[in-house]
Amino acid sequence: MRVQQIPARIRWAVEVMDIRPDDHVLEIGCGAGYGVEAICERLETGKMFAIDRSESGVDRTKRRAHKYIEAGRLTVRQIDLATLRVPVRRLDKVFAFNVNLFWVRDCADEVTLLHERLVAGGAIYLFYEVTRTQSAPEVIKKSSAALLDAGFRVSVVENKAPAVVGIIGRK
Ligand SMILES: C[S@@+](CC[C@H](N)C(=O)[O-])C[C@H]1O[C@@H](n2cnc3c(N)ncnc32)[C@H](O)[C@@H]1O
């Protein structure tokens, strides 16, 4: 089977995250594994933990990124974010792309959990592809409010081509 290239929207988002070789990164909703691949190729001593609640998402990520799993750089698990078990103050960066839980419903518990798991100075990066049906201002407003309520300092980045919005919460 032909392996799909990492899309430009993911490449742009990972550039914004400025991944360091020793970062500890969590991805929520890894899906096809594009983000995992783009991040793992930048890690050296760092580690990545990727979760998706769907079996097919986890299978696709494992297939795409098996070399990083074998190298001990990547762990992939089928779990819902609400049940995440990671020690507190362990993560440098949290990444989620097109994961709508941050703007379609109350996500206060999940965002608080992520705030606790990040190191001081760590950050959460929520990206949204603007071609989708929901309006960008609505996504920015709801995601920003959720991050602010949990104690993050929030900033927004926007790009035209690829059309991506990023809501960044710094601890
Ligand atoms: C639209 S897909 C995006 C996949 C990938 N991030 C991308 O941009 O190509 C959203 C993914 O997030 C996962 N997801 C949604 N809510 C989740 C949650 N609460 N915990 C874990 N995974 C979740 C879904 O199963 C799905 O695979």
Side-chain angles (χ1 to χ4, degrees):
M1 207 196 321
R2 203 170 144 264
V3 178
Q4 297 286 318
Q5 284 198 343
I6 299 171
R9 64 182 173 89
I10 299 278
R11 288 245 172 244
W12 183 81
V14 173
E15 280 293 321
V16 169
M17 290 175 69
D18 191 21
I19 299 291
R20 304 293 158 131
D22 60 348
D23 271 345
H24 284 75
V25 184
L26 167 71
E27 181 175 2
I28 304 152
C30 49
Y34 299 128
V36 160
E37 189 180 14
I39 291 169
C40 281
E41 66 191 19
R42 291 165 183 242
L43 297 178
E44 289 172 16
T45 56
K47 298 267 187 280
M48 179 152 194
F49 187 44
I51 63 168
D52 200 298
R53 64 183 177 191
S54 95
E55 189 178 359
S56 72
V58 167
D59 288 348
R60 291 166 77 199
T61 295
K62 283 184 174 170
R63 270 203 304 279
R64 186 169 185 101
H66 60 91
K67 72 173 180 186
Y68 297 114
I69 297 172
E70 283 155 22
R73 206 181 292 178
L74 169 67
T75 304
V76 186
R77 291 279 179 271
Q78 186 187 352
I79 54 166
D80 190 290
L81 171 59
T83 64
L84 180 75
R85 298 281 173 271
V86 171
V88 294
R89 293 188 291 280
R90 173 63 60 91
L91 301 167
D92 297 293
K93 286 165 187 158
V94 174
F95 171 62
F97 203 122
N98 283 342
V99 179
N100 67 7
L101 96 104
F102 296 104
W103 55 85
V104 298
R105 67 163 173 84
D106 176 11
C107 57
D109 290 348
E110 286 92 339
V111 177
T112 299
L113 182 152
L114 293 171
H115 191 272
E116 288 167 0
R117 265 73 195 163
L118 280 161
V119 298
I124 177 168
Y125 297 81
L126 307 177
F127 291 99
Y128 165 68
E129 193 180 7
V130 180
T131 50
R132 295 185 165 236
T133 46
Q134 184 135 8
S135 86
E138 185 73 2
V139 170
I140 293 169
K141 187 172 150 207
K142 291 192 170 158
S143 306
S144 300
L147 296 183
L148 284 167
D149 285 351
F152 286 100
R153 287 175 292 118
V154 175
S155 57
V156 175
V157 288
E158 296 187 60
N159 193 57
K160 284 211 165 27
V164 176
V165 166
I167 300 96
I168 304 168
R170 294 186 197 281
K171 182 170 173 179

